[in-house]
Amino acid sequence: MSKQRIKQLIEDRTDQDGLTETGIPGVRLFRATQAIPCVPAVYEPSVVAIVSGSKEAVLDGHRYVYDDSSYLCCPMSMPVKAGTPNASTDNPLYGVFISLNQRVMTELTLEMENVGGALPALKSDLRAQGIRLAEWGEGFTDALQRLLQLGANPTDAAVLGDARLRELYYAILQGEAGLFVRQAFGAGNAIARSIAHVSSHLDAPISIHDMAAHAGMSRAVFHRKFKQVTTMAPIQFVKSMRLNNAAMKIAGGMTVNEAAIDVGYVSPSQFSREFKRLYGQSPRQWSNGHHVAIGSA
């Protein structure tokens, strides 16, 4: 079982840059042979593993660079900047993107918590806010290879895909970032629930009061705990989620006005002001210079 074998599996099934479906829901391969600077993106609950080259993610000014020595864990939706600034034809990037299924991750987390004594002794890391890098372990490598091997046979993928994906989820929960991920999917995941609600309702009015109520907390307690988890104040987080989503939509070909409306802005002038303040360009300038494939960052 080796990363080299995983790399070969990905190379054999990716014939172009961007994302490639594996036939297993939520599991996609990707390749990059040209440098892409860090651009606005939204990471949904996921794990990103690199087997060749390196990738970057920036969350609220904190820069994470990862390669085949560590994988990225993002258990909650997060507005980031991401890119592959070092990719080239001579140094291609190969990796795999694994969506974290809320239901399955919660089931596994609760099962592990109920067992109690079987949980690894992990210490919380206050620096691990929003996203975290975790060292590749034997369990993660083994489970990922077993999962990706199914992609060669549609019948195997259909019959065994869910079980192999569950095995990989368990390896993640047992790994270096296990406690960090379990905190998002466990019984006390009020902030994670609030973030999931925001992520799926960006086109509707959102207030701190509503977010706090959804989490079952007072406004003051919610504000403090939210910032501990994400590094951002709730309103700053909502704004970043809206503008990052809009930037991705514009880069994907949507008009500026359509993107603004789609993420909840009713005033085009307010959208333009806030967009320029965050990215240093007007939405139309951004549209002219950032037509990149969605997901390539």
Side-chain angles (χ1 to χ4, degrees), residues 54-266:
S54 64
K55 193 168 170 59
E56 294 186 16
V58 180
L59 174 63
D60 195 31
H62 298 277
R63 182 168 172 261
Y64 300 83
V65 180
Y66 57 108
D67 51 24
D68 66 355
S69 66
S70 59
Y71 57 90
L72 179 142
C73 292
C74 180
M76 297 171 284
S77 297
M78 286 288 146
V80 301
K81 290 183 179 179
T84 58
N86 297 317
S88 67
T89 53
D90 294 328
N91 183 35
L93 179 143
Y94 289 101
V96 56
F97 178 92
I98 305 124
S99 295
L100 298 178
N101 181 281
Q102 174 77 39
R103 179 185 60 79
V104 179
M105 289 295 290
T106 299
E107 288 176 357
L108 279 170
T109 298
L110 294 178
E111 287 177 21
M112 293 172 71
E113 290 176 354
N114 287 336
V115 172
L119 293 177
L122 299 172
K123 295 182 180 180
S124 179
D125 185 351
L126 293 178
R127 296 169 298 171
Q129 297 170 313
I131 59 179
R132 179 172 177 175
L133 302 185
E135 185 176 339
W136 280 66
E138 183 177 343
F140 178 82
T141 305
D142 184 13
L144 182 58
Q145 180 176 334
R146 284 165 52 80
L147 176 67
L148 295 184
Q149 284 174 330
L150 298 178
N153 186 309
T155 302
D156 288 348
V159 174
L160 299 174
D162 288 347
R164 296 279 176 89
L165 188 57
R166 183 181 174 90
E167 181 182 4
L168 180 62
Y169 285 174
Y170 181 67
I172 293 166
L173 289 166
Q174 287 279 75
E176 185 182 15
L179 177 58
F180 171 61
V181 178
R182 290 199 302 271
Q183 287 171 338
F185 291 101
N189 60 353
I191 300 299
R193 290 198 307 272
S194 178
I195 288 174
H197 178 76
V198 167
S199 183
S200 60
H201 293 84
L202 287 177
D203 59 342
I206 301 172
S207 68
I208 296 181
H209 177 78
D210 292 338
M211 294 171 71
H214 197 80
M217 301 177 185
S218 70
R219 180 167 170 162
V221 171
F222 175 77
H223 190 281
R224 186 182 78 254
K225 289 185 175 293
F226 192 95
K227 194 163 186 179
Q228 286 176 346
V229 170
T230 68
T231 78
M232 289 178 274
I235 292 304
Q236 179 192 359
F237 178 87
V238 172
K239 185 181 294 184
S240 294
M241 285 287 283
R242 282 181 163 150
L243 292 175
N244 278 26
N245 269 286
M248 293 169 64
K249 292 174 186 293
I250 292 168
M254 186 177 285
T255 69
V256 171
N257 285 342
E258 287 173 337
I261 293 171
D262 219 39
V263 299
Y265 278 89
V266 295

Side-chain angles (χ1 to χ4, degrees), residues 270-290:
Q270 180 187 5
F271 173 71
S272 293
R273 284 196 307 273
E274 294 186 354
F275 192 100
K276 187 171 184 177
R277 188 178 301 125
L278 185 62
Y279 303 128
Q281 293 179 307
S282 71
R284 299 201 183 281
Q285 289 171 324
W286 176 268
S287 176
N288 292 334
H290 291 83

